[in-house]
Amino acid sequence: MHRLPRFLLLSLIAVLPVLGITIGTGSANASPAGGHNAAQAAAIARAAIKGLSIGQHDTDQRTGVTSQVAGLTQVQSTNWSGYADTGSSFSKVTATWKEPSATGCGSTTSLAAFWVGIDGYSSSSVEQDGTLIECYLGTVYQFSWWEMYPTNSIQTVGGSVAAGDTISASVVRSGTSYTLAVTDSTHPANSFSTRQTCSSCANSSAEWIAEAPSGSAGVYPLTDFGTWTASSATVTEGSTTGVISSFTDDEITMIDSSSHVKAQPSALNAGGNGFSVAWERAS
């Protein structure tokens, strides 16, 4: 379990009134009487997110190949579950989903990120965005965010994402310019579009992923999100636009250090543009 140092917690709490920080949460656990404390906890949680790693991997994400069936490679990962297309010159990836809910939040910090992106599967460059569930001190916080190589600093945008929100996410590349966008149709304040540049990004993969983010102490426990379902997925490689199954794709199962399944993806749907990931265990 990763905790912020006590001196940092106290410092953040002390400066909140001065900075005028108020951050909404998607939690049903915060009461009006505890609103001030909830805002402080949310600010601390948001600061802690800055130190996470989502989609960042210096080496190949695959820890093992379990089978190859009809052109589909089934692989294992210690913190990813979902699908990745591999190739070259990827320029667009999209998907939509209903934001999952978190259950069983206790005193242990746990996280679950849901995102689409280009790169990160077999390269160290990452261009990704999506949503994040954080269980922090017994309360649920949900954010929209984006992350861009080479700074790889997670930028949280909206803090009022809630279970059931309709989310659309995309990363679109034009040359060395990347437009990262998330739309929360239910709570529009969480929506954003940002343009970033990268001249050394690999553009060698496209992904649709449920992830257990990492911190300085390693991979966090995976928040129990029940099921995450990605749909209406599209991808462009070179001059060809299609769906997940249109390209060379890997099905990724998240496992723990003992090879127990933490999150299991389903097979692709009949249209090849959607699937579900089922939570199995925290760690």
Side-chain angles (χ1 to χ4, degrees):
M1 173 178 166
H2 175 69
R3 296 180 183 275
L4 288 177
R6 181 176 174 79
F7 76 87
L8 179 56
L9 297 180
L10 295 176
S11 297
L12 282 168
I13 290 172
V15 301
L16 286 174
V18 177
L19 297 177
I21 295 176
T22 56
I23 301 175
T25 77
S27 169
N29 298 328
S31 64
H36 181 65
N37 290 337
Q40 291 178 342
I44 293 167
R46 197 164 190 169
I49 290 170
K50 290 280 191 180
L52 294 178
S53 293
I54 300 178
Q56 296 178 29
H57 306 280
D58 294 329
T59 57
D60 199 316
Q61 174 63 16
R62 293 165 290 190
T63 59
V65 176
T66 57
S67 65
Q68 291 180 302
V69 180
L72 172 69
T73 303
Q74 295 176 310
V75 304
Q76 296 175 331
S77 166
T78 57
N79 59 340
W80 284 18
S81 185
Y83 281 80
D85 282 355
T86 58
S88 63
S89 299
F90 285 98
S91 60
K92 185 176 182 180
V93 57
T94 73
T96 63
W97 63 84
K98 291 288 187 181
E99 181 68 5
S101 60
T103 60
C105 282
S107 59
T108 299
T109 300
S110 66
L111 296 143
F114 313 100
W115 55 268
V116 302
I118 297 174
D119 289 332
Y121 187 56
S122 57
S123 64
S124 58
S125 54
V126 294
E127 310 91 56
Q128 291 136 334
D129 56 34
T131 57
L132 175 73
I133 298 176
E134 179 178 31
C135 286
Y136 190 83
L137 301 179
T139 300
V140 180
Y141 303 96
Q142 291 175 259
F143 304 94
S144 56
W145 60 273
W146 60 271
E147 180 182 16
M148 183 73 196
Y149 183 84
T151 58
N152 288 353
S153 177
I154 297 166
Q155 304 297 313
T156 54
V157 178
S160 59
V161 178
D165 283 8
T166 299
I167 306 294
S168 299
S170 63
V171 177
V172 180
R173 176 179 65 86
S174 177
T176 60
S177 177
Y178 295 77
T179 300
L180 300 92
V182 170
T183 300
D184 183 340
S185 299
T186 311
H187 296 106
N190 301 306
S191 303
F192 65 85
S193 178
T194 180
R195 181 172 295 178
Q196 304 293 315
T197 59
C198 178
S199 59
S200 59
C201 289
N203 307 311
S204 60
S205 60
E207 303 95 6
W208 302 261
I209 300 295
E211 178 173 355
S214 303
S216 59
V219 178
Y220 277 90
L222 181 65
T223 299
D224 183 353
F225 58 83
T227 301
W228 174 63
T229 300
S231 61
S232 302
T234 66
V235 56
T236 300
E237 181 189 15
S239 60
T240 303
T241 296
V243 296
I244 300 172
S245 61
S246 301
F247 304 93
T248 302
D249 55 284
D250 288 3
E251 178 187 293
I252 309 166
T253 298
M254 192 189 308
I255 60 170
D256 64 16
S257 58
S258 299
S259 296
H260 298 132
V261 174
K262 293 172 62 176
Q264 179 69 57
S266 70
L268 292 172
N269 62 14
N273 67 346
F275 62 92
S276 296
V277 174
W279 182 92
E280 297 288 343
R281 65 179 65 223
S283 58

